[in-house]
């Protein structure tokens, strides 16, 4: 991946990650028609594990599989488990626009956490651009915020836990491959979803279409986990986190291509605002690097 210019590596990985997660979410949403939520999570985890472990061996990481249970890796992925358990319950009981909008505070929390824990300087320009990206994401999601309840708190919990997950990922040792971290997340969520299913749901026999959808979701889940971890590993938080807002752009594309939902004028303006703020942040980062080299 060294052929990708350093200034765009982190943002590009975040864009790929959010796109992969959105394909996964789309397939999961289609699969939940007829299946309980935690059963869908469990079956997706089984599919991801069946994809992931052979992939580890193909990439030559077979001897490093025990690192799946490394303390810092597990700490990151237990936060991932808590976040997804909150998210799936919120999504099942709220309008998707509302749960998506509440999730957009994740980059802001990530930036505040990085500033406190790692001493990263954000700067006024970046904060203003991040704020514009947040406004753009809300313009796309267009939440109604009707029926604010415990489910809204769960959606906020998902955002906070996702930021904590990515901050914890910053502490994973450099010698731990990103794919090991991704497969560890698959294993931890698989176990947690299985336990949640047994505790709260009744098993429903999946149909062939469910299994095909979840096989695809499992594959894209791996790439989502891998690229979001690598994005924060290779790029500064202030340059990477704002591209989390691309999730809303991918969501509009999914709605258009899969569900026949056309974005309105406000959503289109929001997408343009998200893209413009992201490109400006990359431009600022490139200029800063050039000035550092000259100095």
């Amino acid at each position: 991946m060294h052929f990708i210019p350093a200034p765009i590596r982190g943002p590009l990985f975040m864009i790929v990650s959010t796109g992969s997660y959105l394909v996964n979410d789309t397939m999961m949403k289609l699969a939940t028609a007829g299946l309980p939520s935690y059963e869908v999570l469990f079956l997706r985890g089984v599919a991801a594990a069946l994809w992931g472990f052979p992939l580890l061996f193909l990439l030559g990481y077979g001897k490093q599989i025990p690192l799946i249970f490394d303390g810092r890796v597990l700490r990151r992925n237990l936060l991932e488990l808590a976040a997804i358990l909150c998210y799936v319950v919120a999504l099942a009981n709220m309008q998707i626009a509302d749960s998506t909008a509440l999730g957009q505070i994740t980059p802001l929390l990530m930036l505040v956490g990085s500033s406190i824990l790692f001493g990263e300087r954000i700067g006024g320009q970046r904060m203003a651009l991040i704020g514009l990206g947040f406004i753009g994401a809300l313009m796309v999601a267009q939440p109604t915020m009707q029926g604010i309840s415990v489910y809204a708190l769960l959606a906020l919990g998902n955002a906070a836990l996702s930021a904590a997950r990515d901050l914890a990922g910053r502490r994973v040792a450099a010698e731990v491959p990103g794919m090991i971290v991704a497969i560890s997340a698959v294993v931890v969520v698989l176990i947690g979803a299985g336990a949640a299913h047994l505790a709260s749901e009744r098993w429903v026999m999946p149909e062939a279409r469910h299994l095909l959808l979840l096989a695809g979701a499992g594959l894209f889940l791996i790439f989502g986990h891998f690229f979001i971890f690598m994005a924060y590993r290779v790029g500064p938080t202030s340059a990477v986190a704002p591209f989390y807002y691309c999730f809303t752009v991918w969501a509009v594309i999914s709605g258009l291509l899969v569900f026949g939902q056309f974005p309105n004028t406000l959503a289109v303006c929001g997408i343009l605002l998200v893209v413009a703020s992201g490109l400006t942040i990359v431009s600022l980062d490139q200029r800063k690097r050039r000035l550092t080299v000259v100095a």
Side-chain angles (χ1 to χ4, degrees):
M1 297 182 183
H2 296 289
F3 63 88
I4 303 173
I8 68 170
R9 201 173 295 160
L12 179 61
F13 287 176
M14 180 58 82
I15 292 170
V16 175
S17 170
T18 53
S20 298
Y21 277 134
L22 203 284
V23 173
N24 156 74
D25 285 353
T26 301
M27 291 181 169
M28 281 188 65
K29 184 173 179 63
L30 292 170
T32 51
L35 292 180
S37 299
Y38 290 143
E39 182 180 334
V40 167
L41 277 180
F42 174 74
L43 291 174
R44 183 195 65 173
V46 171
L50 292 174
W51 285 113
F53 281 100
L55 187 59
L56 285 181
F57 285 101
L58 284 173
L59 294 173
Y61 296 141
K63 293 183 179 179
Q64 294 173 285
I65 285 179
L67 290 174
I68 285 175
F69 304 104
D70 173 81
R72 291 184 177 182
V73 174
L74 282 179
R75 191 176 304 121
R76 178 209 183 261
N77 291 329
L78 286 171
L79 289 166
E80 166 72 21
L81 170 63
I84 191 62
L85 290 179
C86 287
Y87 177 72
V88 75
V89 174
L91 187 62
N93 292 277
M94 294 178 66
Q95 293 188 27
I96 191 168
D98 295 342
S99 59
T100 299
L102 290 171
Q104 300 312 299
I105 68 168
T106 296
L108 300 176
L109 295 175
M110 181 69 184
L111 285 161
V112 172
S114 293
S115 178
I116 295 171
L117 296 176
F118 304 112
E120 286 195 14
R121 298 185 64 181
I122 300 171
Q125 283 183 314
R126 288 179 186 272
M127 280 303 300
L129 289 166
I130 291 162
L132 286 176
F134 178 66
I135 292 170
L138 291 180
M139 290 167 66
V140 175
Q142 298 173 27
T144 62
M145 292 305 166
Q146 293 177 353
I148 294 295
S149 65
V150 67
Y151 302 116
L153 295 178
L154 286 173
L156 288 170
N158 166 63
L161 289 164
S162 294
R165 171 203 65 198
D166 293 329
L167 289 169
R170 294 279 302 274
R171 297 189 180 276
V172 173
E175 61 267 19
V176 179
M179 192 56 71
I180 289 287
V181 176
I183 302 305
S184 175
V186 166
V187 171
V188 170
V189 174
L190 168 62
I191 295 170
H197 170 68
L198 290 173
S200 61
E201 296 174 342
R202 179 175 295 179
W203 178 263
V204 176
M205 185 60 64
E207 300 174 5
R209 66 182 181 88
H210 293 132
L211 297 178
L212 288 172
L213 285 167
L214 292 172
L219 179 61
F220 280 95
L221 176 70
I222 292 172
F223 292 119
H225 284 328
F226 172 74
F227 281 107
I228 199 169
F229 174 76
M230 291 303 296
Y232 286 115
R233 173 173 274 186
V234 304
T237 304
S238 58
V240 172
F243 285 85
Y244 184 90
Y245 296 134
C246 288
F247 191 96
T248 56
V249 179
W250 290 118
V252 168
I253 294 172
S254 172
L256 179 62
L257 297 179
V258 180
F259 302 104
Q261 300 169 343
F262 291 86
N264 58 24
T265 303
L266 184 61
V268 172
C269 292
I271 290 172
L272 293 175
L273 194 56
V274 168
V275 172
S277 64
L279 290 175
T280 306
I281 286 171
V282 169
S283 178
L284 287 174
D285 192 51
Q286 288 179 316
R287 187 175 69 179
K288 181 180 177 181
R289 286 172 182 267
R290 284 196 299 268
L291 291 174
T292 301
V293 171
V294 171

